[in-house]
Structures are given as C-alpha cells and as structure tokens.
Amino acid sequence: MADEVVQPDTQYEDSGLTVPESTPAPAEAADKEAPPSSAWDAEAEGFMQLPSGGEFDPQSACMVTCAAPTRLIVLAGAIDSGKTTLLASIYEMLQLGPFAGYLFAGSLTLPALERRCHLARIASGRSTPDTERTKGMEDSLLHLRVREEDCSRPSKDLLFTDLGGERFRLAKDSSDECRRLELLLRADHFVLLIDGAKLARVEYRHEAHVSAASLLRSCLDADMLGAHSYVDVLFAKWDLVQPVAEKRGPKTFLKHVRSQFEDRFGGRVARLRFFEVAARPTASDLPFGYNLDKVVPSWIEDAPCRRYFKPEFPSSFALLREIDRFGATAGDHE
Amino acid sequence: MNECALTQLLVVGLPATGKTTFLAALWHVAESAEIRCSLVVSRYHGDREYLNKIRDEWLEYRQLPRTGLVDEQSVSMRLVRRAGGSEVEVVFPDMSGESFKLQWTDRRWSVEYSRLVSQAAGVLLFVHPDEVVEPTRIDQANRLVAELPEVPEPPTDAEFEESVEWDPSQAPTQVQLVELLQFISDHAAEKRFRIGVIVSAWDLVRDNGVAPEEWVGQRLPLLSQYLRANSDDYPYRVFGVSAQGGDLQRDSARLRKCIRPSDRVGVTGLDCATHDLTAVVGWVMGGSLAAGVQSR
C-alpha cells in the first residue's frame, strides 16, 4: 500500500504540483482570513485571538481534512437555484434535534453558518424568509461534524461548498473556467440543483434543464468529474413544482429530464440519482427540509472508490498548491 | 504543611445564568456542613473575603449582582470527601457572563483565561431557563400566526423586504454554548474531562415533570446533541439546580422558614441528594478528588 492510496483520482496528476504565481504564500494567505490554526498564537493587549469561525478556503480547510476523513460535498447550480438555502436548512434541521439519524457533533464554522441562516430567522426582522446571495469568486467551504445517533462509530467531518451561481455559469460556458473549479477534483459528491421555480413554468423549464445538463457535461468534458463521481441531481424548491407536477405536461417534462440525464451521463459517472427536495418550502404543506433526510445520509456515508497514485511531495509541503494540499491530505486516513 | 492537590474547574455560562449564586451556595453548603453532603471544606486557607461576601448576600435572600468584567476573580476551596480521602484545593474562576459572550462575538479571550483553560480538569456549564434564545425561523412563526383567528397581512415580497443585519450577540444560546465548549476542548491540555451542565433556577421548570437532561434536549437540542456526540472524550451529566431555592419575592415565606440555609438549595440529578450542591462538583471532579491534577 506504499505507492497506491485512495485519493482524488488520476486527474490529480494533471492538476500539477507547481505553484502558480498568483497563489499566495502560506503566511500571506493566513493573514487574509486569519485561519484558526494560527489564531491561537496571536496575542495582543492581554487577549488571545480565537478561531474566526468564518468560512474556510481550501487552504484553511486543511485543518479539517488533515485531521480526519472528510467528505467534500460540492453544491452546484445556477444563480438562485437554492444551494446556500440547502446548506442552511441542513444546519437548521440540526438546530431542532438529530437529523436523518445523525447527531450534531460540532462545527468549526458556526458563525458562518449562523450568518447564512439569518434572513430566514425572526431575528432578521423579516416576515418572509430569504437567503443572502453568495457573491464573489472565492472557494468557500463550511464545516459540519456529525455522528450516528447510537454513537457506534466515530464522528464524521463534512465540508460543503458555498460557491456563487456565477462560478457555475462561467464553468458551464467555458472549459477553462470549469478547470478553475479545482474543488471538483476532490468532490466526494457533486450535487446539482435545478431550480424548481423554473421547472414549474413552461417558459423557463427548458433553460433550467439545459443549463444544468450543460454544467454537468462541461465538468465531465474538462475531466473535473469522471467515472468515479457520485452525482445527485436535486429538483429543488419542490414545493413550487408539486402543485403542477401531477399535471400531464410537467410530469412528462420531468420524466424527460431524468431520462435525458440518464442517457447522456449515466454511463459517464459512478452513480447518478435524482431527488425532489424542498429545503425551505413556502408554497405548500411540505415539511421544512423535505426529502433532505433521504439524500444527506449518503453524502455522509458514501465515498467514491478512487485509486490513484500518491504524488511525490516537493521538499516543502507548503510549496504545493492549495488544492493539492487539500486533496493530498483529505483521504489519507480512510 | 499546607500542601494539597490542586484542581481547577471552569465555571462557564452566558450572562445571568446563576454562576455566582451557585458559588455562594456551594461555599455555604460545603463550609457549614449543616447537611449531609458529599464534599466538605477541610480547612480555611487564603483569602475568603469574596466568598464570604457573596455567601452573606445569599444568606440575606438578596439577588446577587451580576459579575462585571472588572469584578472577575478566582475563588478556591479546600475540599475533602465526607467519606474520607485526600484534600483537594478546587479553584473556580468566577468570570462575568459578558466575558463568555465576548468569546463568541469578538472571537478572543484573555491570556489569563487561556491559562485557566489549559489547566482545567472539568467544566461547570450554566444555563438559565429564562435566558434561552431559540433559533426561531420565520416559517415557524408564520405558521403560528396563520393559526390566529385574525387574517394576517399578506407577506411582503422577499426581495424588497428590509432586514436587520446579522448580530452575533443575538445568536441562539445553544450555538454560543457549543462554541464555548469547542474553544475549551481545542485548548485544554486534558483531552478528556467531565462537563457538568447546570440548569439553574430549576424551580422554574421543575413542575413540568421533565428531567434536567430531557429539558436540555428539548430547549437546547443542538447542545444536547453536541454533548452526546462527544461524550467519549467529555462525559457529561445534567443537573437541575436551584441555588436560591426559589423566587426571592414569590417564595419568600417558604424560603425564610428554612432553619438550615442549606435546605433552600435544590438539586436534581443522578446520584444527588436533594440539597447537596457539592455532589455536582464532586462528579465533575471525578478522579481528581483521589489524586489532584497538580500538586503544590
């Protein structure tokens, strides 16, 4: 087992091990976000800085991935397709008690999660729930640690991406932009959300379908996803689709979407599944987090079987690119 | 010789959660030994002015003032099991709840507290039933409003609705408490220590018929899960404690009837006698009572 390890797959070799000039030196990057690992050392005026609890970037996420096996769940989809709401809803479900058979065991990004829930809480002063749009081009990751309710096995660490929809629009339209989404190389689960608000309307539903399919194809053709990948397609905001879903037209259309995905991509990925979810239903009697309990356990338990050659590390670990360090350490313990 | 083992317990809790009242009552129960309690003060030592001051206020049925940031200090008691054994000096830093709030909001703690954490052998975590901020979602609130007989106004367009900015100080209590425990577990030298969760003013909820652990599961489910999920490294127990014995106004007559002040105290929890506040401390200290973590 010395040479072969289970890790981000052969594409890893293609990602290179050189340091792009734009990549900040570790210390420089550390200053940018005050990563938790160095925060303990900060001492001024009799106070010590504590971890910020903000979202991780791939570099600071190493403190999670280096410490324990970690599942990386990439939430992908168009602008306003419900990626952040999905993540916030999983966290909100845990606020109420064990979720889908799992206990909340901790999080190193609690303030970041709280911030994402704010506009859906009464503390925001609003009367209708909302989610702040994820802006910017950064790779943001949020952390959750969970453990089975019977505590029969150790806790498991999860990292969810929170990337703006604009990133995925660019990735859909350009293979070069797609290759910039380096987190995909390390993804254990690629979760593609299709906006139910668009699926429910004849004038928007084709664009919603085609955009999602184009994004997945772009990721596959750019070798960012591949035969090892686990892909879940989520028909999000199902509360908006449900009222029309039983009518003949929409029902046929949704069947068509599924069969198109299966025909085009079923043979190119390790697993392709479909779920109807409503993370935060507003338009029907569906419960909060509808169907999330069906899909989330597999994100925790399942990891794609990947075999690839462990790269030879440069003399200094710090010389690796962020994504290389992130990927190189993430699965070593498994 | 005055040599004895030294154990440090952290007293953690957000503002107004009964930390100082607990210490006042604990000092009285352990020092007076007027009831049959698990731990007793073996001998006086050091400066006891603060402990005596807060005990006097407690004995006089006065509401203890909130500990301010400038009033923080550590108190220590030399305790021994009533059944016999070695003497242990237990140090309790009496910190302001504001200090803990600032850990969450400002992401910093004092160098002094950092030192205390690194030496801690156990944690007493305080929660007050009236001070719990819950993470209420708008859709939950709207569902309740919809059940009202009056027809509510139609919701505003979400996109154009104004919002209050996120303020970390308004975050749910359970989230803040989990973060405080995470800070401690990251920084403590002891990688395995006990956590005693103290639901103070237990008289307020006792009549609901739920056990303290059940109450935490209902009102602070995120904290409850965190404790369960991490109980291999941090064994925990939940205690319902009424250090004042009741509401100082409403229950005044009943409280004043107690011949022994220790009888005012109410404790609900596993292996705890009704008034024995020291049993809570005894459980958190665990093995420390047999052999302290440090000697001096």
Side-chain angles (χ1 to χ4, degrees), chain A residues 69-103:
Chain A
T70 306
R71 299 274 182 265
L72 175 64
I73 298 115
V74 172
L75 302 176
I79 292 168
D80 210 21
S81 57
K83 301 178 289 297
T84 308
T85 304
L86 177 80
L87 168 58
S89 295
I90 293 169
Y91 175 64
E92 286 283 27
M93 296 294 282
L94 288 165
Q95 295 269 349
L96 301 175
F99 169 59
Y102 291 89
L103 299 168

PDB file of all heavy atoms in Angstrom, chain A residues 69-103:
ATOM      1  N   PRO A  69     -10.849  11.866   8.171  1.00  0.00           N
ATOM      2  CA  PRO A  69     -11.509  11.672   6.879  1.00  0.00           C
ATOM      3  C   PRO A  69     -12.654  12.667   6.735  1.00  0.00           C
ATOM      4  O   PRO A  69     -13.418  12.860   7.687  1.00  0.00           O
ATOM      5  CB  PRO A  69     -12.057  10.244   6.963  1.00  0.00           C
ATOM      6  CG  PRO A  69     -11.277   9.581   8.031  1.00  0.00           C
ATOM      7  CD  PRO A  69     -10.890  10.649   9.002  1.00  0.00           C
ATOM      8  N   THR A  70     -12.726  13.284   5.600  1.00  0.00           N
ATOM      9  CA  THR A  70     -13.702  14.360   5.406  1.00  0.00           C
ATOM     10  C   THR A  70     -14.412  14.179   4.075  1.00  0.00           C
ATOM     11  O   THR A  70     -13.770  13.920   3.064  1.00  0.00           O
ATOM     12  CB  THR A  70     -12.978  15.731   5.406  1.00  0.00           C
ATOM     13  OG1 THR A  70     -12.211  15.841   6.603  1.00  0.00           O
ATOM     14  CG2 THR A  70     -13.963  16.876   5.328  1.00  0.00           C
ATOM     15  N   ARG A  71     -15.698  14.301   4.087  1.00  0.00           N
ATOM     16  CA  ARG A  71     -16.463  14.263   2.847  1.00  0.00           C
ATOM     17  C   ARG A  71     -16.598  15.682   2.310  1.00  0.00           C
ATOM     18  O   ARG A  71     -17.007  16.591   3.058  1.00  0.00           O
ATOM     19  CB  ARG A  71     -17.861  13.710   3.099  1.00  0.00           C
ATOM     20  CG  ARG A  71     -17.876  12.301   3.626  1.00  0.00           C
ATOM     21  CD  ARG A  71     -17.823  11.287   2.507  1.00  0.00           C
ATOM     22  NE  ARG A  71     -17.890   9.953   3.067  1.00  0.00           N
ATOM     23  CZ  ARG A  71     -16.815   9.202   3.350  1.00  0.00           C
ATOM     24  NH1 ARG A  71     -15.594   9.661   3.120  1.00  0.00           N
ATOM     25  NH2 ARG A  71     -16.943   7.992   3.841  1.00  0.00           N
ATOM     26  N   LEU A  72     -16.300  15.845   1.041  1.00  0.00           N
ATOM     27  CA  LEU A  72     -16.492  17.146   0.403  1.00  0.00           C
ATOM     28  C   LEU A  72     -17.715  17.062  -0.494  1.00  0.00           C
ATOM     29  O   LEU A  72     -17.758  16.243  -1.425  1.00  0.00           O
ATOM     30  CB  LEU A  72     -15.262  17.539  -0.419  1.00  0.00           C
ATOM     31  CG  LEU A  72     -15.435  18.840  -1.217  1.00  0.00           C
ATOM     32  CD1 LEU A  72     -15.620  20.043  -0.296  1.00  0.00           C
ATOM     33  CD2 LEU A  72     -14.234  19.071  -2.129  1.00  0.00           C
ATOM     34  N   ILE A  73     -18.688  17.890  -0.198  1.00  0.00           N
ATOM     35  CA  ILE A  73     -19.926  17.904  -0.968  1.00  0.00           C
ATOM     36  C   ILE A  73     -19.985  19.219  -1.742  1.00  0.00           C
ATOM     37  O   ILE A  73     -20.050  20.299  -1.139  1.00  0.00           O
ATOM     38  CB  ILE A  73     -21.155  17.760  -0.032  1.00  0.00           C
ATOM     39  CG1 ILE A  73     -21.083  16.410   0.697  1.00  0.00           C
ATOM     40  CG2 ILE A  73     -22.453  17.854  -0.808  1.00  0.00           C
ATOM     41  CD1 ILE A  73     -20.917  16.513   2.169  1.00  0.00           C
ATOM     42  N   VAL A  74     -19.925  19.128  -3.048  1.00  0.00           N
ATOM     43  CA  VAL A  74     -19.971  20.321  -3.890  1.00  0.00           C
ATOM     44  C   VAL A  74     -21.424  20.578  -4.271  1.00  0.00           C
ATOM     45  O   VAL A  74     -22.075  19.744  -4.898  1.00  0.00           O
ATOM     46  CB  VAL A  74     -19.112  20.144  -5.160  1.00  0.00           C
ATOM     47  CG1 VAL A  74     -19.318  21.317  -6.114  1.00  0.00           C
ATOM     48  CG2 VAL A  74     -17.639  20.021  -4.792  1.00  0.00           C
ATOM     49  N   LEU A  75     -21.931  21.717  -3.844  1.00  0.00           N
ATOM     50  CA  LEU A  75     -23.299  22.115  -4.190  1.00  0.00           C
ATOM     51  C   LEU A  75     -23.226  23.012  -5.416  1.00  0.00           C
ATOM     52  O   LEU A  75     -22.651  24.103  -5.359  1.00  0.00           O
ATOM     53  CB  LEU A  75     -23.962  22.850  -3.022  1.00  0.00           C
ATOM     54  CG  LEU A  75     -24.038  22.075  -1.689  1.00  0.00           C
ATOM     55  CD1 LEU A  75     -24.626  22.955  -0.583  1.00  0.00           C
ATOM     56  CD2 LEU A  75     -24.856  20.801  -1.839  1.00  0.00           C
ATOM     57  N   ALA A  76     -23.757  22.534  -6.515  1.00  0.00           N
ATOM     58  CA  ALA A  76     -23.624  23.246  -7.788  1.00  0.00           C
ATOM     59  C   ALA A  76     -24.999  23.612  -8.329  1.00  0.00           C
ATOM     60  O   ALA A  76     -25.991  22.955  -8.024  1.00  0.00           O
ATOM     61  CB  ALA A  76     -22.880  22.361  -8.790  1.00  0.00           C
ATOM     62  N   GLY A  77     -25.007  24.640  -9.151  1.00  0.00           N
ATOM     63  CA  GLY A  77     -26.270  25.029  -9.758  1.00  0.00           C
ATOM     64  C   GLY A  77     -26.262  26.495 -10.143  1.00  0.00           C
ATOM     65  O   GLY A  77     -25.348  27.249  -9.772  1.00  0.00           O
ATOM     66  N   ALA A  78     -27.286  26.882 -10.872  1.00  0.00           N
ATOM     67  CA  ALA A  78     -27.377  28.259 -11.358  1.00  0.00           C
ATOM     68  C   ALA A  78     -27.616  29.228 -10.202  1.00  0.00           C
ATOM     69  O   ALA A  78     -27.904  28.813  -9.073  1.00  0.00           O
ATOM     70  CB  ALA A  78     -28.523  28.348 -12.369  1.00  0.00           C
ATOM     71  N   ILE A  79     -27.501  30.506 -10.513  1.00  0.00           N
ATOM     72  CA  ILE A  79     -27.804  31.543  -9.526  1.00  0.00           C
ATOM     73  C   ILE A  79     -29.228  31.341  -9.014  1.00  0.00           C
ATOM     74  O   ILE A  79     -30.135  31.071  -9.802  1.00  0.00           O
ATOM     75  CB  ILE A  79     -27.658  32.946 -10.171  1.00  0.00           C
ATOM     76  CG1 ILE A  79     -26.186  33.221 -10.496  1.00  0.00           C
ATOM     77  CG2 ILE A  79     -28.224  34.035  -9.264  1.00  0.00           C
ATOM     78  CD1 ILE A  79     -25.962  34.424 -11.389  1.00  0.00           C
ATOM     79  N   ASP A  80     -29.399  31.434  -7.715  1.00  0.00           N
ATOM     80  CA  ASP A  80     -30.722  31.354  -7.095  1.00  0.00           C
ATOM     81  C   ASP A  80     -31.367  29.966  -7.224  1.00  0.00           C
ATOM     82  O   ASP A  80     -32.578  29.834  -7.130  1.00  0.00           O
ATOM     83  CB  ASP A  80     -31.658  32.417  -7.702  1.00  0.00           C
ATOM     84  CG  ASP A  80     -32.695  32.885  -6.688  1.00  0.00           C
ATOM     85  OD1 ASP A  80     -32.436  32.703  -5.482  1.00  0.00           O
ATOM     86  OD2 ASP A  80     -33.743  33.392  -7.096  1.00  0.00           O
ATOM     87  N   SER A  81     -30.545  28.949  -7.410  1.00  0.00           N
ATOM     88  CA  SER A  81     -31.133  27.603  -7.506  1.00  0.00           C
ATOM     89  C   SER A  81     -31.338  26.972  -6.129  1.00  0.00           C
ATOM     90  O   SER A  81     -31.938  25.904  -6.021  1.00  0.00           O
ATOM     91  CB  SER A  81     -30.263  26.700  -8.385  1.00  0.00           C
ATOM     92  OG  SER A  81     -28.950  26.625  -7.881  1.00  0.00           O
ATOM     93  N   GLY A  82     -30.798  27.616  -5.085  1.00  0.00           N
ATOM     94  CA  GLY A  82     -31.066  27.141  -3.724  1.00  0.00           C
ATOM     95  C   GLY A  82     -29.903  26.410  -3.061  1.00  0.00           C
ATOM     96  O   GLY A  82     -30.105  25.656  -2.113  1.00  0.00           O
ATOM     97  N   LYS A  83     -28.694  26.661  -3.518  1.00  0.00           N
ATOM     98  CA  LYS A  83     -27.523  25.961  -2.966  1.00  0.00           C
ATOM     99  C   LYS A  83     -27.295  26.328  -1.500  1.00  0.00           C
ATOM    100  O   LYS A  83     -27.155  25.453  -0.636  1.00  0.00           O
ATOM    101  CB  LYS A  83     -26.263  26.307  -3.782  1.00  0.00           C
ATOM    102  CG  LYS A  83     -26.371  25.954  -5.259  1.00  0.00           C
ATOM    103  CD  LYS A  83     -25.143  26.355  -6.037  1.00  0.00           C
ATOM    104  CE  LYS A  83     -24.975  27.847  -6.228  1.00  0.00           C
ATOM    105  NZ  LYS A  83     -26.046  28.499  -7.014  1.00  0.00           N
ATOM    106  N   THR A  84     -27.229  27.625  -1.220  1.00  0.00           N
ATOM    107  CA  THR A  84     -26.966  28.061   0.146  1.00  0.00           C
ATOM    108  C   THR A  84     -28.144  27.724   1.056  1.00  0.00           C
ATOM    109  O   THR A  84     -27.958  27.351   2.218  1.00  0.00           O
ATOM    110  CB  THR A  84     -26.688  29.578   0.184  1.00  0.00           C
ATOM    111  OG1 THR A  84     -25.667  29.880  -0.767  1.00  0.00           O
ATOM    112  CG2 THR A  84     -26.226  30.022   1.555  1.00  0.00           C
ATOM    113  N   THR A  85     -29.354  27.834   0.524  1.00  0.00           N
ATOM    114  CA  THR A  85     -30.536  27.513   1.326  1.00  0.00           C
ATOM    115  C   THR A  85     -30.524  26.045   1.730  1.00  0.00           C
ATOM    116  O   THR A  85     -30.890  25.684   2.851  1.00  0.00           O
ATOM    117  CB  THR A  85     -31.817  27.841   0.538  1.00  0.00           C
ATOM    118  OG1 THR A  85     -31.773  29.214   0.155  1.00  0.00           O
ATOM    119  CG2 THR A  85     -33.065  27.601   1.371  1.00  0.00           C
ATOM    120  N   LEU A  86     -30.077  25.198   0.821  1.00  0.00           N
ATOM    121  CA  LEU A  86     -29.988  23.769   1.125  1.00  0.00           C
ATOM    122  C   LEU A  86     -29.030  23.529   2.293  1.00  0.00           C
ATOM    123  O   LEU A  86     -29.357  22.829   3.255  1.00  0.00           O
ATOM    124  CB  LEU A  86     -29.503  23.013  -0.121  1.00  0.00           C
ATOM    125  CG  LEU A  86     -29.287  21.521   0.061  1.00  0.00           C
ATOM    126  CD1 LEU A  86     -30.606  20.780  -0.023  1.00  0.00           C
ATOM    127  CD2 LEU A  86     -28.337  20.968  -0.992  1.00  0.00           C
ATOM    128  N   LEU A  87     -27.885  24.159   2.209  1.00  0.00           N
ATOM    129  CA  LEU A  87     -26.879  24.016   3.265  1.00  0.00           C
ATOM    130  C   LEU A  87     -27.413  24.568   4.596  1.00  0.00           C
ATOM    131  O   LEU A  87     -27.296  23.927   5.646  1.00  0.00           O
ATOM    132  CB  LEU A  87     -25.618  24.764   2.824  1.00  0.00           C
ATOM    133  CG  LEU A  87     -24.519  25.023   3.837  1.00  0.00           C
ATOM    134  CD1 LEU A  87     -24.012  23.726   4.433  1.00  0.00           C
ATOM    135  CD2 LEU A  87     -23.368  25.768   3.152  1.00  0.00           C
ATOM    136  N   ALA A  88     -28.012  25.755   4.520  1.00  0.00           N
ATOM    137  CA  ALA A  88     -28.552  26.376   5.736  1.00  0.00           C
ATOM    138  C   ALA A  88     -29.651  25.500   6.344  1.00  0.00           C
ATOM    139  O   ALA A  88     -29.756  25.386   7.565  1.00  0.00           O
ATOM    140  CB  ALA A  88     -29.101  27.768   5.419  1.00  0.00           C
ATOM    141  N   SER A  89     -30.433  24.866   5.497  1.00  0.00           N
ATOM    142  CA  SER A  89     -31.542  24.051   6.010  1.00  0.00           C
ATOM    143  C   SER A  89     -31.040  22.791   6.716  1.00  0.00           C
ATOM    144  O   SER A  89     -31.641  22.350   7.693  1.00  0.00           O
ATOM    145  CB  SER A  89     -32.499  23.682   4.885  1.00  0.00           C
ATOM    146  OG  SER A  89     -33.113  24.843   4.399  1.00  0.00           O
ATOM    147  N   ILE A  90     -29.980  22.221   6.213  1.00  0.00           N
ATOM    148  CA  ILE A  90     -29.405  21.053   6.904  1.00  0.00           C
ATOM    149  C   ILE A  90     -28.987  21.463   8.314  1.00  0.00           C
ATOM    150  O   ILE A  90     -29.259  20.785   9.301  1.00  0.00           O
ATOM    151  CB  ILE A  90     -28.214  20.487   6.105  1.00  0.00           C
ATOM    152  CG1 ILE A  90     -28.701  19.904   4.780  1.00  0.00           C
ATOM    153  CG2 ILE A  90     -27.457  19.425   6.914  1.00  0.00           C
ATOM    154  CD1 ILE A  90     -27.588  19.549   3.799  1.00  0.00           C
ATOM    155  N   TYR A  91     -28.333  22.618   8.390  1.00  0.00           N
ATOM    156  CA  TYR A  91     -27.905  23.136   9.696  1.00  0.00           C
ATOM    157  C   TYR A  91     -29.118  23.463  10.572  1.00  0.00           C
ATOM    158  O   TYR A  91     -29.129  23.164  11.765  1.00  0.00           O
ATOM    159  CB  TYR A  91     -27.040  24.373   9.456  1.00  0.00           C
ATOM    160  CG  TYR A  91     -26.603  25.107  10.704  1.00  0.00           C
ATOM    161  CD1 TYR A  91     -25.773  24.508  11.645  1.00  0.00           C
ATOM    162  CD2 TYR A  91     -27.011  26.421  10.926  1.00  0.00           C
ATOM    163  CE1 TYR A  91     -25.366  25.204  12.782  1.00  0.00           C
ATOM    164  CE2 TYR A  91     -26.611  27.115  12.053  1.00  0.00           C
ATOM    165  CZ  TYR A  91     -25.790  26.507  12.976  1.00  0.00           C
ATOM    166  OH  TYR A  91     -25.399  27.189  14.098  1.00  0.00           O
ATOM    167  N   GLU A  92     -30.149  24.053   9.968  1.00  0.00           N
ATOM    168  CA  GLU A  92     -31.354  24.381  10.737  1.00  0.00           C
ATOM    169  C   GLU A  92     -32.046  23.116  11.255  1.00  0.00           C
ATOM    170  O   GLU A  92     -32.604  23.121  12.357  1.00  0.00           O
ATOM    171  CB  GLU A  92     -32.347  25.184   9.880  1.00  0.00           C
ATOM    172  CG  GLU A  92     -31.947  26.626   9.628  1.00  0.00           C
ATOM    173  CD  GLU A  92     -32.186  27.539  10.818  1.00  0.00           C
ATOM    174  OE1 GLU A  92     -32.178  27.049  11.967  1.00  0.00           O
ATOM    175  OE2 GLU A  92     -32.361  28.749  10.610  1.00  0.00           O
ATOM    176  N   MET A  93     -32.016  22.045  10.475  1.00  0.00           N
ATOM    177  CA  MET A  93     -32.621  20.791  10.943  1.00  0.00           C
ATOM    178  C   MET A  93     -31.893  20.296  12.192  1.00  0.00           C
ATOM    179  O   MET A  93     -32.513  19.789  13.126  1.00  0.00           O
ATOM    180  CB  MET A  93     -32.546  19.715   9.855  1.00  0.00           C
ATOM    181  CG  MET A  93     -33.335  20.028   8.596  1.00  0.00           C
ATOM    182  SD  MET A  93     -35.114  20.096   8.823  1.00  0.00           S
ATOM    183  CE  MET A  93     -35.484  18.370   8.873  1.00  0.00           C
ATOM    184  N   LEU A  94     -30.577  20.452  12.194  1.00  0.00           N
ATOM    185  CA  LEU A  94     -29.805  20.008  13.362  1.00  0.00           C
ATOM    186  C   LEU A  94     -30.077  20.890  14.572  1.00  0.00           C
ATOM    187  O   LEU A  94     -29.894  20.457  15.712  1.00  0.00           O
ATOM    188  CB  LEU A  94     -28.308  20.005  13.024  1.00  0.00           C
ATOM    189  CG  LEU A  94     -27.867  18.878  12.078  1.00  0.00           C
ATOM    190  CD1 LEU A  94     -26.475  19.161  11.514  1.00  0.00           C
ATOM    191  CD2 LEU A  94     -27.878  17.525  12.794  1.00  0.00           C
ATOM    192  N   GLN A  95     -30.495  22.122  14.334  1.00  0.00           N
ATOM    193  CA  GLN A  95     -30.839  23.005  15.468  1.00  0.00           C
ATOM    194  C   GLN A  95     -32.032  22.462  16.247  1.00  0.00           C
ATOM    195  O   GLN A  95     -32.235  22.800  17.403  1.00  0.00           O
ATOM    196  CB  GLN A  95     -31.211  24.407  14.963  1.00  0.00           C
ATOM    197  CG  GLN A  95     -30.078  25.160  14.308  1.00  0.00           C
ATOM    198  CD  GLN A  95     -29.297  26.006  15.297  1.00  0.00           C
ATOM    199  OE1 GLN A  95     -29.710  26.198  16.431  1.00  0.00           O
ATOM    200  NE2 GLN A  95     -28.155  26.493  14.869  1.00  0.00           N
ATOM    201  N   LEU A  96     -32.824  21.627  15.574  1.00  0.00           N
ATOM    202  CA  LEU A  96     -34.045  21.120  16.207  1.00  0.00           C
ATOM    203  C   LEU A  96     -33.851  19.761  16.865  1.00  0.00           C
ATOM    204  O   LEU A  96     -34.674  19.324  17.649  1.00  0.00           O
ATOM    205  CB  LEU A  96     -35.160  20.997  15.158  1.00  0.00           C
ATOM    206  CG  LEU A  96     -35.548  22.277  14.427  1.00  0.00           C
ATOM    207  CD1 LEU A  96     -36.570  21.982  13.350  1.00  0.00           C
ATOM    208  CD2 LEU A  96     -36.104  23.290  15.424  1.00  0.00           C
ATOM    209  N   GLY A  97     -32.795  19.066  16.502  1.00  0.00           N
ATOM    210  CA  GLY A  97     -32.568  17.740  17.063  1.00  0.00           C
ATOM    211  C   GLY A  97     -31.826  16.875  16.068  1.00  0.00           C
ATOM    212  O   GLY A  97     -31.441  17.349  14.992  1.00  0.00           O
ATOM    213  N   PRO A  98     -31.623  15.600  16.401  1.00  0.00           N
ATOM    214  CA  PRO A  98     -30.930  14.717  15.466  1.00  0.00           C
ATOM    215  C   PRO A  98     -31.628  14.720  14.110  1.00  0.00           C
ATOM    216  O   PRO A  98     -32.845  14.790  14.031  1.00  0.00           O
ATOM    217  CB  PRO A  98     -31.049  13.342  16.141  1.00  0.00           C
ATOM    218  CG  PRO A  98     -31.221  13.638  17.580  1.00  0.00           C
ATOM    219  CD  PRO A  98     -32.002  14.921  17.644  1.00  0.00           C
ATOM    220  N   PHE A  99     -30.818  14.648  13.067  1.00  0.00           N
ATOM    221  CA  PHE A  99     -31.363  14.744  11.714  1.00  0.00           C
ATOM    222  C   PHE A  99     -30.934  13.514  10.915  1.00  0.00           C
ATOM    223  O   PHE A  99     -29.736  13.209  10.839  1.00  0.00           O
ATOM    224  CB  PHE A  99     -30.854  16.024  11.046  1.00  0.00           C
ATOM    225  CG  PHE A  99     -31.122  16.102   9.573  1.00  0.00           C
ATOM    226  CD1 PHE A  99     -32.425  16.048   9.098  1.00  0.00           C
ATOM    227  CD2 PHE A  99     -30.087  16.222   8.667  1.00  0.00           C
ATOM    228  CE1 PHE A  99     -32.674  16.119   7.744  1.00  0.00           C
ATOM    229  CE2 PHE A  99     -30.332  16.284   7.311  1.00  0.00           C
ATOM    230  CZ  PHE A  99     -31.632  16.233   6.842  1.00  0.00           C
ATOM    231  N   ALA A 100     -31.907  12.826  10.358  1.00  0.00           N
ATOM    232  CA  ALA A 100     -31.667  11.661   9.490  1.00  0.00           C
ATOM    233  C   ALA A 100     -30.792  10.624  10.187  1.00  0.00           C
ATOM    234  O   ALA A 100     -29.972   9.967   9.553  1.00  0.00           O
ATOM    235  CB  ALA A 100     -31.038  12.113   8.169  1.00  0.00           C
ATOM    236  N   GLY A 101     -30.947  10.515  11.503  1.00  0.00           N
ATOM    237  CA  GLY A 101     -30.181   9.512  12.241  1.00  0.00           C
ATOM    238  C   GLY A 101     -28.815   9.974  12.705  1.00  0.00           C
ATOM    239  O   GLY A 101     -28.027   9.180  13.209  1.00  0.00           O
ATOM    240  N   TYR A 102     -28.553  11.269  12.567  1.00  0.00           N
ATOM    241  CA  TYR A 102     -27.237  11.798  12.945  1.00  0.00           C
ATOM    242  C   TYR A 102     -27.364  12.905  13.990  1.00  0.00           C
ATOM    243  O   TYR A 102     -28.299  13.703  13.957  1.00  0.00           O
ATOM    244  CB  TYR A 102     -26.500  12.350  11.715  1.00  0.00           C
ATOM    245  CG  TYR A 102     -26.089  11.252  10.773  1.00  0.00           C
ATOM    246  CD1 TYR A 102     -26.960  10.842   9.767  1.00  0.00           C
ATOM    247  CD2 TYR A 102     -24.882  10.586  10.912  1.00  0.00           C
ATOM    248  CE1 TYR A 102     -26.620   9.806   8.914  1.00  0.00           C
ATOM    249  CE2 TYR A 102     -24.536   9.556  10.069  1.00  0.00           C
ATOM    250  CZ  TYR A 102     -25.406   9.165   9.076  1.00  0.00           C
ATOM    251  OH  TYR A 102     -25.062   8.127   8.254  1.00  0.00           O
ATOM    252  N   LEU A 103     -26.358  12.921  14.865  1.00  0.00           N
ATOM    253  CA  LEU A 103     -26.251  13.977  15.865  1.00  0.00           C
ATOM    254  C   LEU A 103     -25.305  15.051  15.352  1.00  0.00           C
ATOM    255  O   LEU A 103     -24.331  14.745  14.655  1.00  0.00           O
ATOM    256  CB  LEU A 103     -25.646  13.427  17.162  1.00  0.00           C
ATOM    257  CG  LEU A 103     -26.370  12.317  17.898  1.00  0.00           C
ATOM    258  CD1 LEU A 103     -25.453  11.733  18.981  1.00  0.00           C
ATOM    259  CD2 LEU A 103     -27.645  12.863  18.539  1.00  0.00           C
TER     260      LEU A 103
END
